[in-house]
Amino acid sequence: MLLHDQQVRLTARERDILLRLTGSDPSYVTTRSQLKAWVDQHLQSLPHDADEIQQIKAVLRRHLPI
């Protein structure tokens, strides 16, 4: 992930991982506010998520620069 002030650029690998985890493509995310909105919408732990997926989502929520 590349950051500059309020700008965000996800790498292709990061976009692919987030897409596989959530089913939603974050390629439109270009600002921190868009990233925060995307995280709030798509990285919530769901009841049918496997324990490993819930833990990965929790780590991502904690460490994404929003």
Side-chain angles (χ1 to χ4, degrees):
M1 180 179 303
L2 301 171
L3 301 170
H4 177 68
D5 197 23
Q6 292 301 313
Q7 296 177 341
V8 173
R9 180 158 178 113
L10 298 170
T11 66
R13 180 168 164 71
E14 290 165 335
R15 286 191 310 271
D16 182 54
I17 289 169
L18 292 172
L19 174 61
R20 285 189 282 151
L21 277 172
T22 64
S24 176
D25 184 7
S27 62
Y28 70 91
V29 172
T30 58
T31 66
R32 287 181 192 251
S33 61
Q34 288 175 331
L35 180 61
K36 181 176 180 356
W38 190 89
V39 166
D40 290 345
Q41 183 175 1
H42 297 291
L43 286 184
Q44 299 305 314
S45 293
L46 303 173
H48 64 277
D49 284 344
D51 288 339
E52 295 85 7
I53 298 297
Q54 289 182 15
Q55 291 171 5
I56 291 169
K57 286 181 177 181
V59 167
L60 286 170
R61 280 192 308 273
R62 253 190 315 258
H63 295 286
L64 283 173
I66 52 175

